[in-house]
Amino acid sequence: MRRYLGARTGTVAVAVEDLDDPTTRGDTVNDSYKEWLLNPGARVQTASIVKVDILETLLHSAAGPLTGSATAVADGMIEQSDNDDATALWNVAGGAAGIGAYNRLAGLTQTTPNIPGYWGETLTSAADQIRLLGQLVMPSRLLSAEARRYGLGLMENIAPGQKWGVTSGVPADVTVALKNGWVPLTDDSDWEINSIGWVHGGGRDYLIAVLTAHDPSEQYGIDTVDRVSSLIFADLRR
């Protein structure tokens, strides 16, 4: 990965947590799993991956799956990455204050929700995105089992045209719950491309976050994320 990224431009930060290979000490299994970080100090704008943070905040407040009219809005926000739906649910969640309160409970230390309400300009790190995904994937004191199944169900049903990124190199029979984010930072030659998700099946079970900034084009950033993701899937084979 370092060899590949050495020839790429922009900022790239990666976090991977291997849930299928817990660290062991003697006969005792440690609470943590193997985790890899690349460029851990980098903090970039979330773009649309913050929609998972919004969803988790609401699931925590509801103490279970969303119901009523909120379900259709959540479907649009996650499955279609609809920005109007995200704005509506950001406000329901209490904006930056509500998201920030949930993040503190979840142990996020490098994520700063955008106070004026431009949710895509929330700053985060790859490691924090792994912690956020872990609340959905692993047993959590913040999210009920029903809420976690609901959230992951949305992320496993992403619109076909948005299934790039952490799905790259992953066979069709392997399940991927994901959310991508993409936005020009200043102009069409300065892009943010992010992809986060949970990959399980095919002898793998891991959380992954690949965040990039200052890509010279949207496709350039997608290509970087795709290549990094495919390398990780291949190298985690059992």
Side-chain angles (χ1 to χ4, degrees):
M1 188 187 303
R2 289 183 184 277
R3 285 195 298 271
Y4 168 72
L5 292 176
R8 306 295 283 178
T9 64
T11 298
V12 181
V14 183
V16 179
E17 188 163 357
D18 187 359
L19 304 179
D20 201 34
D21 194 359
T23 302
T24 60
R25 296 178 180 174
D27 296 327
T28 303
V29 177
N30 196 355
D31 289 338
S32 63
Y33 294 81
K34 287 186 177 179
E35 184 177 83
W36 292 268
L37 299 174
L38 178 71
N39 200 5
R43 296 176 76 226
V44 304
Q45 291 184 19
T46 56
S48 284
I49 62 172
V50 76
K51 293 168 183 176
V52 175
D53 205 352
I54 297 170
L55 178 65
E56 287 193 24
T57 301
L58 292 171
L59 292 175
H60 173 66
S61 298
L66 302 184
T67 59
S69 61
T71 60
V73 185
D75 289 357
M77 178 178 72
I78 299 297
E79 297 179 358
Q80 305 296 326
S81 202
D82 187 278
N83 291 337
D84 290 339
D85 289 340
T87 298
L89 293 181
W90 169 275
N91 292 332
V92 172
I99 303 294
Y102 174 76
N103 288 350
R104 287 189 291 275
L105 293 174
L108 275 62
T109 60
Q110 296 176 304
T111 299
T112 306
N114 183 267
I115 293 175
Y118 302 108
W119 42 261
E121 296 182 14
T122 293
L123 294 177
T124 194
S125 68
D128 264 9
Q129 290 304 302
I130 292 295
R131 294 187 187 98
L132 194 66
L133 288 167
Q135 297 298 324
L136 280 173
V137 174
M138 307 296 288
S140 169
R141 62 183 175 81
L142 301 180
L143 303 176
S144 69
E146 293 79 10
R148 292 189 292 110
R149 283 194 294 270
Y150 171 83
L152 290 170
L154 295 179
M155 295 173 66
E156 291 170 5
N157 195 39
I158 297 295
Q162 298 178 24
K163 287 188 175 181
W164 44 266
V166 298
T167 62
S168 182
V170 178
D173 61 345
V174 173
T175 301
V176 182
L178 76 150
K179 185 70 193 79
N180 293 331
W182 60 98
V183 68
L185 292 173
T186 55
D187 54 41
D188 206 40
S189 62
D190 185 13
W191 279 80
E192 187 108 68
I193 305 293
N194 302 322
S195 187
I196 63 173
W198 175 39
V199 180
H200 56 116
R204 284 85 159 170
D205 187 7
Y206 61 93
L207 308 176
I208 175 172
V210 186
L211 312 182
T212 76
H214 307 301
D215 299 297
S217 71
E218 179 181 14
Q219 188 59 52
Y220 186 97
I222 291 174
D223 290 346
T224 299
V225 173
D226 281 352
R227 179 59 176 158
V228 168
S229 300
S230 63
L231 285 170
I232 289 168
F233 183 84
D235 288 344
L236 283 179
R237 64 188 178 275
R238 303 297 174 212

